[in-house]
Amino acid sequence: MNLPPLPDQAVGMIWAQTRDGVIGRAGDMPWNAPEDMAHFKATTMGHPVVMGRRTWQSIPERFRPFAGRTNVVLTRDPEVTAEAEAAGALVFTDLDEALAAATDAPGGELVWIVGGGSLYAAAADRADVAVITVLDLEVTDGDTFAPALPPGFINVASVPAEGFTPSDRGPAYRFETWVAGDDL
Ligand SMILES: NC(=O)c1ccc[n+]([C@@H]2O[C@H](COP(=O)([O-])OP(=O)(O)OC[C@H]3O[C@@H](n4cnc5c(N)ncnc54)[C@H](OP(=O)(O)O)[C@@H]3O)[C@@H](O)[C@H]2O)c1
């Protein structure tokens, strides 16, 4: 996807949400949205991805770590640390250290925060760009929510500009790009 001009060293957040901001339920995403998965892969490929332990554990073992990207996991759990490191991820107990390691990894000029709710909330103030897939869905029993974007974030692209792109394989969707106002 085409991203707007970003600082030389940038942090992005990427997520999919329902119209009301649900991003997860019971440790998983309560939808199957193939276009969003392809969009996630294309956007993050070649760049480090930083995630919380619950998100790491939500990825089927055969898909983790995400290929072609340095995977950075935050956890204080020794067992998960051992398992994630054995799988090839870098593991940290501190967000600053995780972001520093991600920045030093291949493609680290743009680091993607890929969830979940706790990581988005913790990292939102550091983000330069947010790439959001809005799914035309209502999920009433979600338990994890998108963060509020910090004041000053500006919507610089919506595809389509209004409404949603229909899908015959999953929910209709819209790709949005938001940029921190002080980066413009
Ligand atoms: N819709 C989307 O695009 C999307 C994307 C990603 C995830 N999700 C969903 O989001 C949900 C998971 O989100 P979540 O908020 O429950 O969990 P999470 O953010 O994935 O993971 C939380 C865990 O990460 C570790 N952690 C987080 N911040 C840390 C810090 N500053 N220092 C050290 N460790 C830290 C802790 O692990 P320990 O407890 O092991 O110490 C914490 O319990 C799932 O339902 C998932 O499917 C949705």
Side-chain angles (χ1 to χ4, degrees), residues 14-18 21-31 36 40 51-59 73-78 80-81 92-96 98 113-122 131 133 135 143-146:
I14 182 167
W15 70 78
Q17 65 167 69
T18 65
V22 170
I23 65 164
R25 181 182 65 196
D28 209 343
M29 289 184 279
W31 53 73
D36 174 61
F40 172 86
M51 71 195 87
R53 185 259 305 166
R54 294 189 65 208
T55 295
W56 168 261
Q57 291 180 316
S58 77
I59 306 166
V73 178
L74 275 155
T75 181
R76 299 181 186 88
D77 183 313
V80 179
T81 299
F92 294 91
T93 58
D94 177 87
L95 179 59
D96 289 324
I113 308 287
V114 299
S118 77
L119 253 286
Y120 297 131
V131 171
T133 302
L135 301 170
D143 58 23
T144 315
F145 297 88

XYZ file of all heavy atoms in Angstrom, residues 14-18 21-31 36 40 51-59 73-78 80-81 92-96 98 113-122 131 133 135 143-146, ligand 1:
493
model
N -0.968 -1.071 13.124
C -1.880 -1.619 12.122
C -2.837 -2.572 12.809
O -2.425 -3.392 13.625
C -1.097 -2.304 10.970
C -2.053 -2.828 9.895
C -0.134 -3.377 11.465
C -1.359 -3.239 8.602
N -4.121 -2.378 12.526
C -5.108 -3.300 13.085
C -6.350 -3.331 12.211
O -6.537 -2.472 11.344
C -5.480 -2.932 14.511
C -6.290 -1.677 14.701
C -7.634 -1.519 14.485
C -5.814 -0.403 15.178
N -8.015 -0.224 14.789
C -6.924 0.473 15.217
C -4.564 0.070 15.580
C -6.811 1.797 15.636
C -4.452 1.391 15.995
C -5.562 2.234 16.023
N -7.200 -4.333 12.484
C -8.533 -4.409 11.894
C -9.543 -4.295 13.016
O -9.337 -4.840 14.103
C -8.715 -5.742 11.174
N -10.613 -3.577 12.763
C -11.632 -3.365 13.793
C -13.021 -3.408 13.175
O -13.196 -3.200 11.976
C -11.425 -2.020 14.481
C -11.619 -0.817 13.545
C -11.712 0.495 14.298
O -10.740 0.962 14.876
N -12.905 1.089 14.282
N -14.013 -3.659 14.039
C -15.392 -3.520 13.600
C -15.739 -2.029 13.531
O -14.960 -1.169 13.950
C -16.356 -4.186 14.592
O -16.282 -3.460 15.832
C -15.999 -5.654 14.813
N -15.113 -0.526 16.810
C -13.789 -0.553 17.421
C -13.401 -1.838 18.111
O -12.384 -1.869 18.822
N -14.164 -2.919 17.925
C -13.752 -4.209 18.492
C -12.599 -4.765 17.670
O -12.668 -4.801 16.430
C -14.926 -5.217 18.490
C -14.437 -6.627 18.859
C -16.011 -4.768 19.453
N -11.535 -5.207 18.372
C -10.415 -5.842 17.656
C -10.209 -7.301 18.068
O -9.456 -8.014 17.407
C -9.090 -5.069 17.831
C -8.608 -5.090 19.280
C -9.216 -3.645 17.308
C -7.127 -4.693 19.418
N -10.850 -7.730 19.146
C -10.631 -9.106 19.572
C -11.722 -9.615 20.489
O -12.496 -8.829 21.069
N -11.777 -10.946 20.535
C -12.716 -11.617 21.445
C -12.101 -12.951 21.851
O -11.698 -13.729 20.986
C -14.058 -11.854 20.748
C -15.099 -12.519 21.639
C -16.392 -12.773 20.893
N -16.201 -13.731 19.823
C -17.065 -13.921 18.806
N -18.140 -13.187 18.711
N -16.813 -14.832 17.887
N -12.012 -13.169 23.162
C -11.543 -14.453 23.694
C -10.206 -14.865 23.071
O -10.008 -16.027 22.699
C -12.603 -15.534 23.488
N -9.294 -13.907 22.957
C -7.944 -14.236 22.488
C -7.818 -14.413 20.996
O -6.768 -14.864 20.507
N -8.834 -14.045 20.257
C -8.774 -14.210 18.804
C -9.524 -13.048 18.148
O -10.085 -12.186 18.837
C -9.426 -15.545 18.414
C -8.819 -16.108 17.134
O -8.158 -15.362 16.393
O -9.033 -17.315 16.878
N -9.551 -13.061 16.813
C -10.323 -12.062 16.085
C -11.616 -12.727 15.610
O -11.557 -13.763 14.941
C -9.523 -11.529 14.899
C -8.375 -10.650 15.342
S -7.477 -9.904 13.956
C -6.424 -11.265 13.474
N -12.762 -12.165 15.957
C -14.023 -12.841 15.660
C -14.511 -12.620 14.233
O -15.655 -12.217 14.016
C -14.989 -12.243 16.696
C -14.453 -10.882 16.961
C -12.962 -10.964 16.796
N -13.651 -12.864 13.279
C -14.026 -12.765 11.863
C -12.946 -13.477 11.053
O -11.855 -13.768 11.543
C -14.127 -11.305 11.412
C -12.905 -10.488 11.716
C -11.682 -10.544 11.092
C -12.773 -9.507 12.759
N -10.808 -9.655 11.671
C -11.449 -9.008 12.698
C -13.638 -8.990 13.724
C -10.975 -8.032 13.570
C -13.154 -8.016 14.586
C -11.839 -7.546 14.502
N -8.131 -8.433 4.486
C -7.377 -7.751 5.541
C -6.070 -8.476 5.815
O -5.037 -7.832 6.044
C -8.219 -7.661 6.818
C -7.393 -7.101 7.958
O -6.916 -5.951 7.828
O -7.166 -7.826 8.953
N -2.484 -6.774 5.575
C -1.533 -6.797 6.697
C -0.173 -7.295 6.223
O 0.868 -6.700 6.507
C -2.083 -7.703 7.811
C -1.111 -7.944 8.927
C -1.010 -7.048 9.983
C -0.295 -9.071 8.938
C -0.100 -7.264 11.019
C 0.606 -9.293 9.960
C 0.701 -8.395 11.000
N 4.697 -7.203 19.067
C 3.382 -7.640 19.553
C 3.453 -8.087 21.012
O 4.528 -8.436 21.526
C 2.862 -8.799 18.690
C 3.609 -10.102 18.879
S 3.277 -11.294 17.563
C 4.503 -10.815 16.353
N 2.287 -8.099 21.652
C 2.168 -8.622 23.004
C 2.041 -10.144 22.993
O 1.770 -10.762 21.958
N 2.212 -10.712 24.166
C 2.210 -12.171 24.297
C 0.906 -12.799 23.845
O 0.883 -13.842 23.184
C 2.508 -12.529 25.768
C 2.661 -14.017 26.042
C 1.427 -14.636 26.666
N 1.030 -13.932 27.874
C -0.137 -14.100 28.450
N -1.034 -14.914 27.934
N -0.449 -13.424 29.543
N -0.222 -12.174 24.171
C -1.500 -12.797 23.799
C -1.689 -12.807 22.286
O -2.264 -13.736 21.722
C -2.665 -12.092 24.494
C -2.653 -12.272 26.009
C -3.933 -11.764 26.644
N -5.081 -12.536 26.241
C -6.333 -12.065 26.175
N -6.573 -10.798 26.468
N -7.316 -12.838 25.809
N -1.202 -11.773 21.633
C -1.276 -11.754 20.166
C -0.372 -12.830 19.574
O -0.778 -13.568 18.666
C -0.908 -10.357 19.638
O -1.928 -9.446 20.093
C -0.818 -10.305 18.128
N 0.867 -12.934 20.077
C 1.759 -14.008 19.627
C 1.053 -15.358 19.741
O 1.062 -16.158 18.802
C 3.034 -13.987 20.456
C 3.905 -15.192 20.287
C 3.979 -16.283 21.124
C 4.831 -15.458 19.216
N 4.887 -17.190 20.636
C 5.424 -16.714 19.467
C 5.215 -14.752 18.076
C 6.371 -17.285 18.614
C 6.162 -15.325 17.226
C 6.729 -16.561 17.495
N 0.428 -15.595 20.897
C -0.209 -16.896 21.109
C -1.458 -17.084 20.248
O -1.906 -18.220 20.056
C -0.564 -17.069 22.589
C 0.680 -17.218 23.462
C 0.359 -17.383 24.929
O -0.491 -16.672 25.477
N 1.030 -18.312 25.588
N -2.018 -15.985 19.739
C -3.209 -16.110 18.891
C -2.851 -16.519 17.463
O -3.725 -16.921 16.696
C -3.982 -14.788 18.864
O -3.334 -13.839 18.013
N -1.572 -16.418 17.106
C -1.152 -16.770 15.743
C -0.949 -18.283 15.687
O -0.212 -18.831 16.515
C 0.172 -16.056 15.372
C 0.060 -14.554 15.575
C 0.575 -16.385 13.931
C 1.414 -13.834 15.554
N 8.427 -9.898 20.535
C 7.316 -10.242 21.432
C 7.599 -9.676 22.820
O 8.724 -9.775 23.330
C 7.146 -11.780 21.513
C 6.021 -12.154 22.481
C 6.882 -12.361 20.122
N 6.581 -9.099 23.420
C 6.678 -8.613 24.803
C 5.986 -9.601 25.732
O 4.798 -9.925 25.546
C 6.001 -7.249 24.926
C 6.889 -6.073 24.550
C 6.059 -4.884 24.115
C 7.784 -5.703 25.726
N 6.723 -10.105 26.699
C 6.132 -10.980 27.717
C 7.058 -11.022 28.928
O 8.269 -10.836 28.801
C 5.901 -12.412 27.190
O 5.296 -13.204 28.224
C 7.197 -13.081 26.761
N 6.459 -11.278 30.080
C 7.258 -11.534 31.279
C 7.187 -13.010 31.656
O 7.635 -13.408 32.719
C 6.750 -10.667 32.444
C 6.857 -9.176 32.168
C 6.372 -8.344 33.349
N 6.354 -6.923 33.009
C 5.325 -6.299 32.438
N 4.220 -6.974 32.138
N 5.396 -5.013 32.168
N 6.603 -13.817 30.767
C 6.405 -15.242 31.045
C 7.620 -16.031 30.542
O 7.890 -16.048 29.334
C 5.137 -15.711 30.327
C 4.804 -17.165 30.607
O 5.729 -18.005 30.527
O 3.638 -17.463 30.892
N 8.343 -16.707 31.449
C 9.564 -17.415 31.026
C 9.286 -18.531 30.024
O 10.084 -18.748 29.107
C 10.123 -17.980 32.336
C 9.410 -17.284 33.442
C 8.121 -16.781 32.898
N 6.816 -18.725 27.760
C 6.536 -18.139 26.443
C 7.825 -17.577 25.856
O 8.082 -17.689 24.655
C 5.446 -17.059 26.534
C 5.193 -16.433 25.156
C 4.163 -17.640 27.082
N 8.657 -16.988 26.712
C 9.937 -16.453 26.239
C 10.753 -17.550 25.579
O 11.253 -17.385 24.451
C 10.734 -15.854 27.420
O 9.975 -14.795 27.993
C 12.086 -15.327 26.965
N 11.213 -9.440 24.763
C 11.588 -8.405 25.723
C 10.511 -8.266 26.788
O 9.357 -8.661 26.574
C 11.796 -7.061 25.009
C 12.963 -7.094 24.071
C 12.784 -7.454 22.745
C 14.236 -6.815 24.527
C 13.871 -7.525 21.878
C 15.329 -6.883 23.666
C 15.139 -7.234 22.340
N 10.899 -7.672 27.911
C 9.941 -7.398 28.983
C 9.646 -5.906 29.087
O 8.927 -5.479 29.988
C 10.483 -7.890 30.340
O 11.731 -7.231 30.586
C 10.698 -9.392 30.347
N 10.213 -5.143 28.176
C 10.103 -3.688 28.276
C 9.857 -3.116 26.878
O 10.559 -3.468 25.920
C 11.424 -3.147 28.861
C 11.446 -1.639 28.928
O 10.966 -1.093 29.936
O 11.925 -1.004 27.958
N 8.863 -2.247 26.758
C 8.481 -1.716 25.443
C 9.609 -0.906 24.800
O 9.855 -1.021 23.598
C 7.210 -0.866 25.577
C 6.696 -0.223 24.288
C 6.377 -1.265 23.219
C 5.454 0.633 24.593
N 10.309 -0.107 25.593
C 11.400 0.689 25.017
C 12.482 -0.212 24.432
O 12.998 0.039 23.342
C 12.015 1.610 26.081
C 11.077 2.739 26.449
O 10.382 3.231 25.552
O 11.042 3.120 27.630
N 12.083 -3.272 23.418
C 11.520 -3.959 22.248
C 11.564 -3.056 21.022
O 11.956 -3.489 19.926
C 10.082 -4.381 22.544
N 3.674 -1.857 15.086
C 3.017 -2.419 16.269
C 1.802 -3.188 15.754
O 0.930 -2.599 15.099
C 2.545 -1.309 17.235
C 3.683 -0.340 17.580
C 1.896 -1.904 18.474
C 4.726 -0.873 18.488
N 1.745 -4.495 16.046
C 0.679 -5.319 15.452
C -0.271 -5.894 16.515
O -0.988 -6.844 16.235
C 1.279 -6.433 14.564
C 2.088 -5.831 13.416
C 2.147 -7.411 15.369
N -0.282 -5.322 17.702
C -1.271 -5.725 18.685
C -0.659 -6.406 19.893
O 0.540 -6.590 19.971
N -1.560 -6.725 20.818
C -2.976 -6.427 20.736
C -3.346 -5.132 21.423
O -2.614 -4.135 21.380
N -4.507 -5.165 22.081
C -5.051 -3.955 22.672
C -4.081 -3.272 23.623
O -3.948 -2.038 23.610
N -3.384 -4.053 24.440
C -2.487 -3.444 25.439
C -1.304 -2.757 24.748
O -0.857 -1.695 25.191
C -1.997 -4.485 26.443
O -0.984 -5.295 25.902
N -0.818 -3.365 23.669
C 0.330 -2.767 22.965
C -0.081 -1.497 22.226
O 0.634 -0.487 22.240
C 0.901 -3.785 21.977
C 2.238 -4.427 22.341
C 3.383 -3.465 22.156
C 2.195 -4.922 23.775
N -1.243 -1.524 21.570
C -1.701 -0.314 20.874
C -1.861 0.830 21.881
O -1.446 1.961 21.609
C -3.033 -0.555 20.162
C -3.009 -1.585 19.055
C -3.968 -2.586 19.004
C -2.055 -1.544 18.042
C -3.989 -3.530 17.988
C -2.062 -2.485 17.025
C -3.027 -3.478 17.000
O -3.034 -4.411 15.996
N -2.453 0.515 23.017
C -2.675 1.564 24.022
C -1.349 2.116 24.526
O -1.186 3.328 24.700
C -3.515 1.009 25.172
N -0.378 1.217 24.742
C 0.907 1.653 25.286
C 1.725 2.431 24.261
O 2.522 3.295 24.623
C 1.706 0.436 25.771
N -2.638 2.390 10.375
C -3.280 1.803 9.206
C -4.389 0.893 9.730
O -4.118 -0.097 10.419
C -2.248 1.039 8.352
C -2.929 0.240 7.255
C -1.245 2.013 7.750
N -8.026 -1.216 9.193
C -9.061 -1.810 8.357
C -10.361 -1.761 9.156
O -10.433 -2.325 10.252
C -8.738 -3.273 8.011
O -7.480 -3.319 7.352
C -9.812 -3.872 7.111
N -14.016 -3.056 9.342
C -14.864 -4.119 8.801
C -16.317 -3.760 9.059
O -16.659 -3.276 10.159
C -14.513 -5.453 9.478
C -13.055 -5.897 9.314
C -12.752 -7.088 10.224
C -12.759 -6.235 7.861
N -14.018 -8.212 23.509
C -13.395 -7.891 24.801
C -12.104 -7.093 24.654
O -11.454 -6.765 25.645
C -13.154 -9.164 25.624
C -12.269 -10.184 24.895
O -11.508 -9.778 23.996
O -12.360 -11.381 25.232
N -11.710 -6.802 23.422
C -10.488 -6.029 23.193
C -10.805 -4.974 22.142
O -11.474 -5.269 21.147
C -9.344 -6.944 22.702
O -9.316 -8.122 23.501
C -8.006 -6.248 22.814
N -10.314 -3.756 22.381
C -10.759 -2.625 21.569
C -9.581 -1.834 21.006
O -8.491 -1.801 21.589
C -11.651 -1.705 22.417
C -12.899 -2.406 22.868
C -12.914 -3.143 24.046
C -14.042 -2.393 22.081
C -14.050 -3.843 24.442
C -15.178 -3.087 22.466
C -15.185 -3.813 23.652
N -9.838 -1.203 19.870
C -8.841 -0.317 19.271
C -8.576 0.844 20.230
O -9.469 1.263 20.964
C -9.371 0.209 17.936
N -7.900 -6.918 15.112
C -6.586 -6.860 15.066
O -6.005 -6.288 14.136
C -5.787 -7.500 16.170
C -4.381 -7.461 16.138
C -3.685 -8.066 17.171
C -4.373 -8.686 18.208
N -5.728 -8.701 18.205
C -6.492 -9.321 19.290
O -6.181 -8.639 20.503
C -6.328 -9.565 21.588
C -5.031 -9.584 22.377
O -4.815 -8.277 22.918
P -4.510 -8.083 24.472
O -4.494 -6.623 24.781
O -5.414 -8.968 25.249
O -3.056 -8.743 24.631
P -1.640 -8.388 23.963
O -1.420 -6.914 23.944
O -1.502 -9.134 22.692
O -0.660 -9.106 24.994
C -0.668 -8.684 26.345
C 0.550 -9.268 27.019
O 1.735 -8.773 26.404
C 2.726 -8.570 27.407
N 2.962 -7.130 27.497
C 2.205 -6.139 27.037
N 2.778 -4.944 27.293
C 3.932 -5.198 27.908
C 4.985 -4.379 28.416
N 4.971 -3.039 28.307
N 6.019 -4.977 29.018
C 6.063 -6.318 29.119
N 5.094 -7.150 28.653
C 4.052 -6.589 28.060
C 2.164 -9.147 28.673
O 2.490 -10.520 28.607
P 2.697 -11.476 29.894
O 1.363 -11.527 30.571
O 3.109 -12.772 29.285
O 3.771 -10.852 30.726
C 0.674 -8.931 28.493
O -0.122 -9.786 29.293
C -6.659 -10.916 20.966
O -8.070 -11.101 20.957
C -6.138 -10.766 19.537
O -6.789 -11.628 18.623
C -6.441 -8.115 17.197
